[in-house]
Amino acid sequence: MIKLYNFGPIGDVCDASPFCVKVETYMKLAGITYETYSDAQNLRKAPKGKLPFIEDNGKVIADSSFILKYLKETYGDKIDGHLSATDQAIAHAFIKMIDENLYWVMIHARWLLPHNKEVLNRLFFGAIPFPLNKLIAFKAHGDVKQNINKHGMGRHSDQEILELGNADLLALANLLGAKTYFFGEQPSSLDITAYGILSQLILVSDFTGPIFDQAKTYKNLVDFTYRFHEKVKS
Ligand SMILES: N[C@@H](CCC(=O)N[C@@H](CS)C(=O)NCC(=O)O)C(=O)O
């Protein structure tokens, strides 16, 4: 059985990382059996220093996009087979928008808005004994700040980051329109990826701030997220 190495649930959502939600949700929808190994310590043995990664028949695959590619090649393309070439191109561009841009907007809100610091430290480092929890939290905050600056998102003002995030949300809302899923009546990897990030913005109530409020103003995205959550929750 496939072993999925992730962080673990946050509230009612299967993981605190949108990339881990993506992989787990893909396997659920594709009917692929797996077991989860949830622990932030998995980062230590993660081949690329990030989660998720999977282990299947002795093979280790890291990064959500390579994991989905491997699952499609090994177990059949049960999720995206119905997409036209144009839909596949649109899905690819939107998935990159979510993974490479909107993700960092969410990370900024969670890690760099001062009012979320206490809740983040409690949720992510609260189980670690004192004083190790303080040391690990201090290092993690420094690492995230450096990473978000190196990405470039961290160079913008809070207001500019909100604008960039809202442009992505608007694009998602416009593409979804009144449809059940982004390409009609059947879910695809884009729906799964969108659920990964929207679950963090809309369903996880621990973190607060303008981007979380903004996401909740798009009624079709909110309805989509709750609908998808009902479909895939354990
Ligand atoms: N491109 C990777 C991104 C994975 C990623 O950024 N994971 C984050 C959690 S959301 C992580 O493990 N961060 C830990 C770190 O950078 O130390 C994927 O698609 O799986």
Side-chain angles (χ1 to χ4, degrees), residues 52 69 122 197-198 225:
K69 182 170 177 275
R122 179 171 50 76
I197 191 79
L198 292 173
T225 306

Side-chain angles (χ1 to χ4, degrees), residues 7 17-19 22 43 49-52 63-65 99-100 103 107 147:
F7 291 98
S17 153
F19 301 104
K22 188 204 298 189
L43 281 170
K50 285 178 186 278
L51 299 180
D63 190 289
S64 64
S65 60
D99 287 357
E100 308 296 344
Y103 166 73
I107 290 297
N147 290 344

Side-chain angles (χ1 to χ4, degrees), residues 45-64:
K45 52 180 175 183
K48 295 182 181 175
K50 285 178 186 278
L51 299 180
F53 69 95
I54 63 164
E55 228 179 292
D56 187 28
N57 286 322
K59 288 190 209 90
V60 178
I61 302 107
D63 190 289
S64 64

Side-chain angles (χ1 to χ4, degrees), residues 6-228:
N6 62 7
F7 291 98
I10 182 161
D12 207 11
V13 177
C14 66
D15 206 278
S17 153
F19 301 104
C20 296
V21 173
K22 188 204 298 189
V23 169
E24 186 162 357
T25 306
Y26 181 93
M27 292 198 283
K28 270 187 195 162
L29 284 187
I32 297 169
T33 45
Y34 65 92
E35 52 195 359
T36 51
Y37 292 78
S38 300
D39 190 343
Q41 296 296 317
N42 288 329
L43 281 170
R44 290 185 181 194
K45 52 180 175 183
K48 295 182 181 175
K50 285 178 186 278
L51 299 180
F53 69 95
I54 63 164
E55 228 179 292
D56 187 28
N57 286 322
K59 288 190 209 90
V60 178
I61 302 107
D63 190 289
S64 64
S65 60
F66 285 115
I67 295 171
L68 265 55
K69 182 170 177 275
Y70 168 83
L71 294 174
K72 284 178 188 180
E73 286 168 0
T74 312
Y75 298 97
D77 188 359
K78 297 175 189 149
I79 301 293
D80 293 320
H82 63 102
L83 296 184
S84 69
T86 307
D87 289 347
Q88 282 175 39
I90 294 168
H92 177 76
F94 268 81
I95 288 170
K96 289 297 145 198
M97 177 189 85
I98 293 168
D99 287 357
E100 308 296 344
N101 200 68
L102 189 51
Y103 166 73
W104 289 104
V105 175
M106 189 273 291
I107 290 297
H108 166 265
R110 273 187 182 174
W111 288 81
L112 294 179
L113 296 184
H115 70 271
N116 282 327
K117 189 170 182 178
E118 203 179 308
V119 73
L120 184 139
N121 284 348
R122 179 171 50 76
L123 286 173
F124 294 172
F125 310 109
I128 304 168
F130 177 85
L132 202 57
N133 60 345
K134 299 283 175 202
L135 288 170
I136 292 176
F138 181 77
K139 180 173 182 323
H141 279 276
D143 289 347
V144 171
K145 198 165 181 190
Q146 198 178 37
N147 290 344
I148 196 167
N149 273 331
K150 282 189 176 161
H151 170 274
M153 185 62 76
R155 316 291 169 117
H156 304 304
S157 69
D158 289 358
Q159 184 55 33
E160 286 170 333
I161 293 173
L162 178 62
E163 274 177 38
L164 293 172
N166 186 40
D168 293 351
L169 290 169
L170 180 62
L172 281 167
N174 285 339
L175 183 68
L176 179 63
K179 300 190 290 300
T180 308
Y181 299 112
F182 283 91
F183 296 111
E185 288 305 308
Q186 245 180 293
S188 70
S189 292
L190 173 55
D191 296 277
I192 291 168
T193 306
Y195 170 69
I197 191 79
L198 292 173
S199 58
Q200 312 295 324
L201 293 172
I202 291 170
L203 301 179
V204 175
S205 54
D206 304 274
F207 299 105
T208 56
I211 193 64
F212 303 96
D213 297 340
Q214 192 60 35
K216 290 170 196 139
T217 65
Y218 293 99
K219 187 174 179 321
N220 66 341
L221 294 183
V222 172
D223 292 347
F224 163 86
T225 306
Y226 277 94
R227 201 166 53 238
F228 211 83

